[in-house]
Structures are given as C-alpha cells and as structure tokens.
Amino acid sequence: MAGFEEVNYYFRRAARIMDVSSHVERMLVTPFREVKVDVSITLDSGELGTFIGYRVQHDRSRGPMKGGLRYHPTLDMDEALGLASLMTWKTAIVNLPYGGAKGGIAVDPHQLSDRELERLTRRFVEQIHDIIGPQTDIPAPDMGTNAQVMAWIMDEYSKIHGFSPAVVTGKPVDLFGSKGREEATGRGVVFAMEEFLKDVGGGEIRGKRCAIQGFGNVGSWAARFLHEAGARVVAVSDQRGGIRNPEGLDIPKLLEHARRAKTVVGFPGADSISNPELLVSDVDVLIPAALGGVLTKENANDVRARYLVEAANAPTTPEADEILTRRGIQILPDVYANAGGVTVSYFEWTQNIQQFTWEEAKISTELKRYMSEAYATLSRVARERRVPLRTAAFIVAIGRVGRATTLRGL
Ligand code: GLU
C-alpha cells in the first residue's frame, strides 16, 4: 500500500533541492479537507451492510480538485491522503487547471450485486454531495469503479443540485462521457513511454519486451496499445495470477480470453507465473499497472527490467526507488506516466461545460500534445538539476502549486 508519508518523502526530497521555506512546505503538504463517512445500505439479503467512505481534498490552489474514487477493501484514510496528494502533483505536472483529491469506499465491489453497488454509490453521494461539484471537486473512476458508477454519481448529484454532467468524469459515452476516456490512461502510458525511451537512449517501443502487472482498465489498454506499437508483451498478471510467453503473448486473443474468463489465468499457450515472479521477469520494460507498494526493498534488487514505467499510482516504495535508481534502472514516475487518464477527464469536463463534443481523433492528438509537452519540461529539469525524472516531476509540480499558492496569498 502507498501512504501519505511515502508520497511526502518524494515531495520533501524535491522541496529540499528547491530551497522551499519550511512554512510553504508545510502548507503544500497539509490537506485542505479530509472527509470520512458512514455508507450503510440494506443488502439484497435484507441485512445491513456498513462501509466507510472517504474523500480527501488535498490542494485547490490551481483549480477545482480532481481525482478518482476507489472501491477496494484495503482503502483507508492514509492511502486516500497519499493518492489525493499524488493527484495535486500529477495535475500540476501535465498543467491541468486542477488541484488534487481522491477517495472511495473500503469495500470489495466483486462481493456486491449491481443493485447493492448502485445503492452504495448513491448513499455515498448523499454523504458527500455538499463538498463535491463541477467547480469544487470532480470525482472520476479508479480501481474498482467504472463508467456505470460515474453515471449513478452524476444522476444522484443532479437530483439534489440540478443537471450537472460536469460533476464527475469517466461517464459512459452515452451519458455525457468523452470518447477515448476509457482507454486514456493506457494510451497515455504508451505516449509517455515513447517519449521516455527516446530521451533516455532506449530507442523505440517496437521490439521491446514488456511485463505488465494488472489487466484491469489501465493494464489491458496499455497492453493493446503496446502490442499495436510493435512491443512484445511477454508477461501479464492480475489478482488471480500471471501468464508468460517469451515469444510474446497474442494480446487481441488474450483480451478476448480475459473478457470471457474474467482473468488472464488459463490463457492457452502460456506458462503460469505468480505476481512476485512477474515483477522480476527478464524484460526490457516493467509496467506495474495495478496496486501501490508492489516494488519494495525486498524485491527491488531482483528486478531485471532496464526501465520501470509506473502505470499504477505509487507502485514503488521510497526504499525500492533508491535501490532501483542505484542499480541504474530508469524510472518513469506515476505522476507523469499515468496522467493520461486525468488529462482526458479534463477534456471531458471542458466538453460538458461547453455542451460540445470532440471526436476521438482530436482527443488522441490533444492527449499526445499534453503528454509530450509535460515530458519535455520534466526532461529539461532533470538535466538542469541532474536529478532523476521523479524528482524533476516533483520540482515542476511544487513550483507550479507553490507559485499559485503564493500568488493567491498565503
Ligand atoms: N483515477 C485516475 C488517476 O489516478 C484518474 C483521475 C481523474 O480522471 O480524475 O489519475
């Protein structure tokens, strides 16, 4: 798991290089608001189900706060804080006019029926509707939530506040969602990786052997786009386990298998491997695309990839980051690598506000432009300051959020 302290470690490492005063540092780290609510519903069985919901609003100096809702059994306040602060830095790095937030419910959504999930989501909105809004805090999908959940949020919020499609992003395309939002994070990961490999002397994506941990929204779309770009995806895993084929997995067939079987496990023509094995597979690029905190001081010395592309949020603990960096493994940090999702969320929000729609080609071109511009800045700062990309990313983010905070008046 990735907590607030882990993110703040990276923050402080960059703040120290920048000579940020200690009171500005304290101000930037301190969350604006932390909300914890009881989300009780009647289960289909007639029994009472009690769950805890969270919404952390970390910083609002650069605009309305933005970030996903995660439905996951281990979610707690510390994780919500860490993920909310990552959103502040992430939106600043891609220069979106947003602050950062994150939240969700401590629940395993697979244990609930669709009706229960709907009741739970609507109850959650009842509890937090007065702190979210199109100009205050705009939720989006994250682990365990999807476009349907966003549709319920929009509907419930609109019952109270009137028609408000812009209160949430990642909605179904048939209900004011944006074309290209579902695949945005995966697509952005591949755009980001292209820039990164070119810049650090890794060459093209074509022919690169990749291992992906997680085959949910982010991992499966990343696999598809990597495959289309000519990479060899040799290992993939999900919660149930992993599969490997050194020749490269047939991704279109795997996508079909995973849709049917609800797991990558059992895919014909591949060996099975465990999740810990996937992380140390013999590949060029390792792409964690699921849980946080999977690369630790216990396994960082065994990682064999030359490049780490963080499609998940906070997959690398500070100790692992240090070990991997010392070992010369180049890291493309989460706050940039997975920013494609929130970037297309921004496009969705602007379309909702203008009541206008963009074609998918425009979404993709604009996403590429945002990702390329952000990378150019990171790479320049990394060279000027002689720091790794993660530190460069935090330097850029702290600069932007710090200036906005100071200009608005401390
Ligand atoms: N949950 C995604 C993230 O971690 C997307 C957030 C959004 O679109 O607001 O970046």
Side-chain angles (χ1 to χ4, degrees):
M1 199 193 76
F4 198 27
E5 207 27 62
E6 281 76 30
V7 179
N8 288 340
Y9 169 87
Y10 295 131
F11 168 88
R12 286 203 191 89
R13 195 169 64 180
R16 217 163 296 136
I17 295 173
M18 301 168 76
D19 260 338
V20 175
S21 77
S22 64
H23 73 277
V24 171
E25 186 178 311
R26 209 167 338 117
M27 196 163 165
L28 294 183
V29 164
T30 309
F32 167 66
R33 179 153 50 191
E34 297 167 50
V35 171
K36 183 174 167 188
V37 292
D38 162 27
V39 199
S40 294
I41 55 158
T42 308
L43 300 171
D44 293 346
S45 64
E47 276 167 66
L48 185 72
T50 302
F51 304 94
I52 303 293
Y54 302 90
R55 187 68 180 170
V56 173
Q57 300 177 329
H58 178 257
D59 190 278
R60 53 174 189 165
S61 60
R62 301 182 66 260
M65 293 166 286
K66 188 88 191 78
L69 290 176
R70 176 172 288 203
Y71 288 0
H72 193 273
T74 65
L75 181 70
D76 60 14
M77 189 53 96
D78 183 49
E79 187 172 36
L81 278 161
L83 294 169
S85 65
L86 273 182
M87 289 308 302
T88 298
W89 313 127
K90 189 188 302 188
T91 51
I93 288 158
V94 271
N95 217 354
L96 306 176
Y98 285 142
K102 195 78 151 216
I105 303 177
V107 62
D108 180 356
H110 306 294
Q111 303 290 325
L112 298 186
S113 70
D114 284 354
R115 294 275 68 88
E116 288 170 333
L117 215 51
E118 177 175 351
R119 281 202 293 279
L120 186 72
T121 301
R122 290 187 187 276
R123 181 91 190 103
F124 187 38
V125 175
E126 272 177 43
Q127 300 280 52
I128 63 163
H129 75 89
D130 52 349
I131 61 153
I132 61 171
Q135 299 298 337
T136 351
D137 177 357
I138 307 138
D142 197 83
M143 279 171 63
T145 60
N146 56 22
Q148 174 63 76
V149 173
M150 301 306 120
W152 291 326
I153 294 174
M154 184 216 131
D155 183 68
E156 194 62 32
Y157 183 89
S158 294
K159 279 186 198 163
I160 310 167
H161 297 270
F163 177 65
S164 314
V167 67
V168 63
T169 59
K171 299 176 293 293
V173 175
D174 287 322
L175 195 75
F176 310 101
S178 177
K179 294 193 182 105
R181 174 61 186 88
E182 201 193 297
E183 52 271 55
T185 311
R187 181 176 267 148
V189 165
V190 178
F191 286 157
M193 196 167 135
E194 228 166 30
E195 300 282 345
F196 167 62
L197 289 177
K198 218 174 15 182
D199 184 49
V200 301
E204 292 188 348
I205 287 185
R206 180 164 298 282
K208 288 281 178 305
R209 291 168 309 130
C210 306
I212 306 176
Q213 183 183 46
F215 211 63
N217 175 274
V218 180
S220 65
W221 282 105
R224 181 188 298 220
F225 292 123
L226 282 171
H227 178 76
E228 284 171 11
R232 242 194 306 155
V233 180
V234 297
V236 163
S237 68
D238 59 29
Q239 281 146 302
R240 306 253 310 266
I243 53 168
R244 170 174 57 198
N245 181 344
E247 301 305 315
L249 296 157
D250 183 335
I251 297 301
K253 284 215 176 92
L254 177 60
L255 287 162
E256 220 171 277
H257 168 86
R259 201 166 19 245
R260 248 183 299 114
K262 304 258 177 283
T263 174
V264 297
V265 173
F267 183 58
D271 307 330
S272 40
I273 53 167
S274 67
N275 263 294
E277 281 169 329
L278 179 128
L279 294 169
V280 300
S281 13
D282 181 16
V283 288
D284 301 308
V285 191
L286 175 62
I287 309 172
L291 285 172
V294 292
L295 292 164
T296 63
K297 62 179 187 302
E298 276 74 38
N299 60 11
N301 274 306
D302 303 324
V303 168
R304 284 191 280 170
R306 289 174 51 209
Y307 307 101
L308 172 65
V309 173
E310 296 182 340
N313 284 313
T316 312
T317 66
E319 291 101 334
D321 179 79
E322 207 172 290
I323 296 168
L324 295 168
T325 305
R326 196 173 350 104
R327 293 184 54 222
I329 295 166
Q330 304 257 21
I331 304 174
L332 189 65
D334 51 4
V335 278
Y336 167 70
N338 70 33
V342 71
T343 301
V344 177
S345 273
Y346 167 58
F347 301 158
E348 179 172 328
W349 180 75
T350 58
Q351 290 172 81
N352 291 155
I353 288 170
Q354 297 177 58
Q355 305 205 331
F356 190 78
T357 55
W358 295 5
E359 284 314 308
E360 180 150 7
K362 173 160 167 144
I363 301 279
S364 185
T365 314
E366 286 295 306
L367 173 60
K368 195 174 167 75
R369 188 166 70 82
Y370 272 75
M371 296 304 288
S372 305
E373 279 176 16
Y375 191 84
T377 308
L378 295 196
S379 163
R380 179 175 49 76
V381 171
R383 270 177 233 280
E384 280 170 9
R385 302 268 193 169
R386 297 174 196 284
V387 292
L389 284 168
R390 189 188 318 273
T391 304
F394 273 82
I395 289 176
V396 171
I398 294 169
R400 286 181 179 155
V401 179
R403 283 192 297 279
T405 305
T406 317
L407 285 167
R408 291 182 70 154
L410 285 175

